[in-house]
Amino acid sequence: MSYKIPAFRHPNLPKNELGYTTKDYEGAVSTLCAGCGHDSISAAIIDACFQMSIPPHRVAKLSGIGCSSKTPTYFLGNSHGFNSVHGRMPSVATGANMACRDLIYIGVSGDGDTASIGMGQFVHAVRRNINMVYICENNGVYGLTKGQDSATTDIGSTSKKGEPNALEPIDLCSIALQLGATFVANSFSGDKHQLIPIIKAAIAHTGFAFINVISPCVTFNNAPGSTKSYDYIRQHMASTNTVDYVPQAEEITTDYPEGTDEKVTMHDGSFIHFHKLDSELDIHSRRSALTRIKDYKAEDKVLTGILFIDEESREIHDTMNTTKTPLRNLTRPELCPGEAALDLINNLHR
Ligand SMILES: Cc1ncc(C[n+]2csc(CCOP(=O)(O)OP(=O)(O)O)c2C)c(N)n1
Ligand code: SF4
Ligand SMILES: [Mg+2]
């Protein structure tokens, strides 16, 4: 049986600055299991893009393979998309971004896709500071292939039919921080009030923005012994901060309380306003973020929120001094400047 999203929507749905409603940011109907955390993340991406009034044709969605990697079909149906090979999303995103820097790149991956087969690709996308949002929908399990433990499964955690996991997990936020990621956040699919502003901030960030989202797999990893279940995360989640994303030129009407508040200005003039719940966390310090992740883990807590931002981030195009023109728009004389230019280069090497 095939399903279709009904075309009818309430006529008074709110519109954004472009005159679009959330319907213009939706995709095909999801075929994931009912209650899967990944669907909530898709909904958060839809809301974030709608609220930021992003023209859908300016977004390119990329993914690998997995239930998580299927999700770009379920959001932003009017955007560009490329569903690649297991673990290969970062290289496809890198190539697309190098060829055209004008688009907003949203990569979606899973914990298997990122922390196992795709780890080699992930680390280089971080290191190169590719200007993209990278969302790892982390359920601590290989959902699509029916529930094997992944590299992010905690020690002692049990999936539906498995034995307690014996191996140390990989903490992707810590890895991203150590490799120099310029934006790192951790969140939970069941907390859209936290996740939506984080996604908006990540889109506004210049450079590689990594968001690890704990996203329970209701079919294979929502059992009482699992540390990635809805119950476990709700009981062990601790937020570092609450975040407001304030677009450039928007009037500031919110009355922010003094004290543990902080304003971070983004390259485009928009800013993120933090209300810090953990006064020990300095969001400009990698060391502070790494220490706090460990501290909370030792107390059996999952630290969520934006953990680190580098306001001075230089994305790869700035570092490599590449052309601002998308490659498809370069003309023949620009690509092939002639014999005199070639002679000049050759003479430099003589
Ligand atoms: C090269 C290759 N190896 C293995 C597979 C089988 N495979 C498909 S999805 C997957 C794991 C998916 O896990 P994850 O990335 O965590 O996504 P989830 O389904 O949990 O969202 C594997 C091993 C594959 N498709 N391609
Ligand atoms: S198997 Fe798990 S990850 Fe895959 S759609 Fe179902 S609940 Fe989601
Ligand atoms: Mg997974």
Side-chain angles (χ1 to χ4, degrees):
M1 194 194 301
S2 67
Y3 294 91
K4 272 194 161 178
I5 297 185
F8 177 78
R9 289 290 185 286
H10 192 283
N12 295 333
L13 273 184
K15 293 192 171 152
N16 64 14
E17 281 167 22
L18 300 175
Y20 293 148
T21 67
T22 46
K23 183 176 184 293
D24 299 298
Y25 295 85
E26 290 171 356
V29 70
S30 171
T31 58
L32 302 187
C33 310
C36 176
H38 299 348
D39 278 335
S40 308
I41 302 171
S42 299
I45 295 171
I46 290 169
D47 280 346
C49 292
F50 164 76
Q51 288 172 24
M52 292 177 89
S53 294
I54 292 174
H57 69 273
R58 286 210 48 234
V59 179
K61 318 166 281 183
L62 306 121
S63 62
I65 297 289
C67 299
S68 34
S69 292
K70 283 170 72 178
T71 64
T73 305
Y74 314 136
F75 62 81
L76 300 182
N78 296 314
S79 299
H80 308 274
F82 196 99
N83 184 200
S84 71
V85 180
H86 199 21
R88 276 30 168 220
M89 178 270 280
S91 54
V92 175
T94 303
N97 187 301
M98 293 313 289
C100 177
R101 63 197 285 179
D102 282 358
L103 298 178
I104 295 165
Y105 291 92
I106 301 180
V108 175
S109 179
D111 43 313
D113 199 64
T114 295
S116 286
I117 195 167
M119 187 56 120
Q121 299 232 338
F122 172 67
V123 297
H124 289 283
V126 178
R127 178 181 150 256
R128 290 177 174 140
N129 205 18
I130 306 296
N131 191 17
M132 68 180 293
V133 178
Y134 188 116
I135 300 178
C136 179
E137 306 192 345
N138 190 343
N139 50 17
V141 77
Y142 289 4
L144 190 70
T145 50
K146 300 204 178 302
Q148 301 83 359
D149 284 345
S150 78
T152 67
T153 311
D154 289 313
I155 290 186
S157 181
T158 38
S159 58
K160 193 173 169 192
K161 290 192 178 152
E163 294 289 312
N165 174 49
L167 301 178
E168 273 292 339
I170 290 174
D171 184 276
L172 287 170
C173 287
S174 300
I175 297 261
L177 282 162
Q178 279 160 4
L179 287 165
T182 50
F183 180 111
V184 178
N186 197 31
S187 193
F188 171 43
S189 61
D191 185 357
K192 74 172 191 175
H193 294 297
Q194 182 191 62
L195 184 55
I196 293 170
I198 288 180
I199 294 172
K200 285 159 70 173
I203 290 173
H205 177 70
T206 296
F208 192 86
F210 178 64
I211 314 176
N212 181 66
V213 188
I214 298 165
S215 175
C217 167
V218 286
T219 302
F220 297 111
N221 203 14
N222 200 32
S226 163
T227 59
K228 300 270 192 296
S229 66
Y230 279 110
D231 283 349
Y232 185 92
I233 299 300
R234 285 202 181 106
Q235 284 159 19
H236 292 79
M237 189 171 137
S239 295
T240 57
N241 43 53
T242 54
V243 180
D244 286 321
Y245 168 79
V246 185
Q248 188 189 19
E250 182 163 299
E251 192 191 353
I252 304 161
T253 49
T254 324
D255 187 14
Y256 296 124
E258 292 293 318
T260 56
D261 282 27
E262 192 165 342
K263 185 176 145 182
V264 173
T265 307
M266 312 299 278
H267 287 242
D268 63 357
S270 55
F271 68 86
I272 304 170
H273 177 265
F274 290 92
H275 177 59
K276 289 217 226 165
L277 303 174
D278 176 351
S279 55
E280 302 276 311
L281 182 81
D282 172 2
I283 43 140
H284 298 297
S285 160
R286 279 180 203 284
R287 192 180 295 183
S288 165
L290 282 163
T291 308
R292 299 309 280 159
I293 292 171
K294 277 202 174 134
D295 290 348
Y296 276 79
K297 174 112 183 134
E299 292 172 25
D300 250 348
K301 287 187 188 153
V302 181
L303 182 64
T304 61
I306 294 181
L307 306 178
F308 175 75
I309 295 190
D310 177 356
E311 277 177 88
E312 309 299 322
S313 164
R314 279 165 58 83
E315 59 127 329
I316 190 160
H317 286 284
D318 297 332
T319 311
M320 306 295 281
N321 198 20
T322 57
T323 171
K324 292 211 169 1
T325 314
L327 299 192
R328 68 169 191 279
N329 293 343
L330 287 175
T331 57
R332 190 175 163 83
E334 285 169 309
L335 288 167
C336 207
E339 229 169 278
L342 183 64
D343 285 345
L344 193 71
I345 294 167
N346 283 340
N347 286 334
L348 287 174
H349 296 285
R350 288 209 169 99

